[in-house]
Amino acid sequence: MLKALTPLLALVMASPALAQDAATTAIVMFDSVCLTCHEGECSGRMALRTERGSEGLAGHVAGYVGRQDEVMVSRLKGLMSQLKTECRLPPPPVALPADGIWDGASLAPLTLADRQRLFVPLGPLNPGTHSTSLRQDEPQRLRLQVVADSFDIVFDQDSTVGPTGTRIHWQVEEPGQYFLRIIGRRPVGTLRISP
């Protein structure tokens, strides 16, 4: 009897972590893909298209990020509703590394399954000049964007990131939460981001 219950018990105990992973994945997908088209839709300036059935919405989502299950489509729709009322980027529910260094393991929950998009919190930043360094084993051209939680893109540049590292600099005018959106043309290798 105990043998039969062990897998069920493991699943029940893992459920909160799985739910957290699903929420993080939905936010990363929303912030790194959906907002590139929908960021102007805050404050209810454009009504949420509630007449679109779940099949139509699932088809729309699939056109940009591949087929997703009903739970993910529902989460993305909820994030769009949140966007329209709060008018802020929803931050991924992850803690910033104490030393400021993001390695492969800490970046994993912030990376979409196709490994071509990441959405990384940079934390609260005050006005001034800021910078960060990116490094990976195999050189690759990446689009790097630093985005304020108010949707302002303060840095947008294609850069080759490889073993020698690439340092980017940007200017912050308004204090707030900032994020690094990374877009690859092919799967991004093991990346390390440091102050």
Side-chain angles (χ1 to χ4, degrees):
M1 174 89 168
L2 185 58
K3 270 186 163 177
L5 290 175
T6 302
L8 181 60
L9 182 60
L11 182 62
V12 168
M13 292 178 70
S15 292
L18 292 175
Q20 179 71 16
D21 290 345
T24 302
T25 300
I27 290 171
V28 170
M29 188 178 295
F30 188 76
D31 289 341
S32 65
V33 179
C34 302
L35 284 180
T36 58
C37 295
H38 291 285
E39 64 188 13
E41 298 182 28
C42 65
S43 294
R45 289 195 296 258
M46 296 178 75
L48 183 62
R49 294 180 60 190
T50 54
E51 76 279 2
R52 178 180 276 173
S54 60
E55 273 186 33
L57 185 56
H60 174 76
V61 169
Y64 291 92
V65 292
R67 186 169 302 281
Q68 302 295 317
D69 63 26
E70 280 185 47
V71 173
M72 183 60 73
V73 172
S74 177
R75 285 180 189 272
L76 293 171
K77 186 175 182 179
L79 287 167
M80 182 61 79
S81 295
Q82 181 182 335
L83 167 77
K84 289 173 182 297
T85 57
E86 296 178 9
C87 242
R88 291 275 180 232
L89 281 170
V94 296
L96 296 171
D99 59 4
I101 297 173
W102 293 94
D103 59 15
S106 58
L107 287 171
L110 304 172
T111 306
L112 293 186
D114 66 5
R115 301 202 39 82
Q116 290 183 275
R117 291 179 180 259
L118 294 87
F119 196 77
V120 183
L122 297 172
L125 299 178
N126 290 316
T129 301
H130 297 271
S131 68
T132 196
S133 178
L134 297 95
R135 188 176 70 227
Q136 64 178 4
D137 293 340
E138 294 294 321
Q140 181 179 351
R141 193 135 183 93
L142 301 173
R143 183 170 182 192
L144 306 172
Q145 295 179 323
V146 176
V147 186
D149 67 350
S150 61
F151 313 110
D152 292 327
I153 296 175
V154 299
F155 179 87
D156 187 355
Q157 179 177 305
D158 281 5
S159 296
T160 299
V161 177
T164 59
T166 300
R167 181 161 286 282
I168 61 171
H169 304 271
W170 68 91
Q171 191 68 30
V172 166
E173 302 294 331
E174 299 290 327
Q177 296 290 328
Y178 287 80
F179 306 91
L180 178 61
R181 184 184 288 149
I182 301 169
I183 304 167
R185 292 172 184 81
R186 57 186 169 84
V188 175
T190 302
L191 194 61
R192 181 179 168 91
I193 302 171
S194 57

